[in-house]
Structures are given as C-alpha cells and as structure tokens.
Amino acid sequence: MAVNSAANLLIKKATPADVPLIIDLIKQLAIYEKLETEAKATPAAIETYLFGDKAVAECLLAFAADECVGFALFFHNFSTFVGKPGIYLEDLFIKEAYRGLGYGKQLLLHLVQIAQERNCGRVEWSVLDWNEPAIQFYKSLGATAMGEWTVYRLDDKAINQLLNHHAG
C-alpha cells in the first residue's frame, strides 16, 4: 500500500546487505523498459562495482515506511568544458504502485544535493524516447534534452571485435 506523502520518504545509501534488493529493482526496471534480456547484472557484479575496493558507482534506496519504493544508481564523470566532475544518473526507478506521489522527485533532489555538496558541474542522464511520463517529469523539474547529442555505445561484443581487429 502506497504512503501518500513524499515527506515520509527515507533515502539511504545502499550497503552490501542491499545487493538482493538492488538486483530486484534492476529486474523491475528492465521489465518496465522492455529490456529484460539486457539485464544481466549479478549479485557478485553489484557487490564488486558498488561496494568493492574499487567501486565505480553508488546507489540510493528510497523507502516509504518499510517498503523499498525505488532507487537511483549513479557514478561520477568529468566535464572538460566545465572543468568539474559531474554525476551521471544511470537509473532512477520508482515502483509502479508508488509513482505520482513525489518519490521520484525527492530521490532526484537528494542526488542533486549530493552533486552540489561534491561541487559537481552537472547531473546528466538518458531517457528512452518513448518514455513520455519520465520526459514530462524531468521537464517539470527544469531539465533540458540535449537534442543535438546522440548516444553511441560499444557493447562487450563490439569491444572485443574492435580490439581483435586492431590487435597487433
């Protein structure tokens, strides 16, 4: 049952004990984004890359009462133009039953506060072009789309092919 106020939201930094919860949230996000076959994160990978000696990402969990209602997973990048670090928001997800209650906004505001405390010059993320509710949500907060930019990606297969082709 949803709590009706974002004022009751507790946001905490995830710990290694939260790995199963993070995996579950990633699976729910993948289902929402129609990318179930792409979600290959394992508990071992989450443990290593979020909580290991050389962690590369961080995770915030949002709780309404005792129920985890969503998460934000992020990492630092660097802008040569701004000359400062930034935060890249990899995932922001609120469970369907809890959307529209202000929880996503509170989670994003918490992340923006972290960015300010860390003297970051930017907070950036990507949105699937069909995800109109998310697009409208981000616009309502003052975010702007970087329409002239196109995201490119090399996946594991492409990385290996590229390196094998240029080995020598």
Side-chain angles (χ1 to χ4, degrees):
M1 179 168 183
V3 176
N4 292 322
S5 172
N8 296 323
L9 193 69
L10 170 69
I11 298 171
K12 72 172 195 106
K13 186 173 180 176
T15 68
D18 297 314
V19 168
L21 184 55
I22 295 167
I23 290 289
D24 181 60
L25 289 163
I26 291 169
K27 288 178 183 176
Q28 290 183 55
L29 172 62
I31 291 167
Y32 174 76
E33 292 185 344
K34 302 172 183 117
L35 295 169
E36 297 98 318
T37 60
E38 301 295 316
K40 298 176 182 171
T42 64
I46 296 300
E47 176 84 30
T48 297
Y49 297 117
L50 268 63
F51 307 108
D53 291 340
K54 295 183 180 181
V56 296
E58 300 174 61
C59 183
L60 300 172
L61 297 173
F63 292 86
D66 292 329
E67 173 76 15
C68 182
V69 300
F71 79 118
L73 195 139
F74 64 97
F75 55 88
H76 281 279
N77 54 20
F78 186 81
S79 170
T80 55
F81 287 7
V82 176
K84 289 183 175 185
I87 286 181
Y88 187 84
L89 175 60
E90 180 67 22
D91 293 316
L92 175 68
F93 178 73
I94 300 296
K95 293 177 180 178
E96 187 173 3
Y98 298 92
R99 294 185 192 139
L101 300 173
Y103 297 152
K105 181 178 181 179
Q106 289 304 311
L107 196 50
L108 188 58
L109 286 171
H110 191 91
L111 181 62
V112 169
Q113 181 65 41
I114 290 170
Q116 185 180 55
E117 290 168 1
R118 295 180 184 181
N119 195 31
C120 294
R122 295 178 177 161
V123 177
E124 297 177 309
W125 59 91
S126 297
V127 181
L128 290 166
D129 61 4
W130 58 260
N131 194 346
E132 196 59 33
I135 292 167
Q136 292 308 313
F137 166 67
Y138 294 133
K139 284 182 177 180
S140 77
L141 299 175
T144 56
M146 303 296 293
E148 65 276 9
W149 294 89
T150 301
V151 176
Y152 284 83
R153 174 181 293 158
L154 291 172
D155 62 13
D156 286 344
K157 182 179 177 183
I159 290 169
N160 290 330
Q161 287 175 339
L162 181 62
L163 291 176
N164 287 336
H165 179 71
H166 292 284

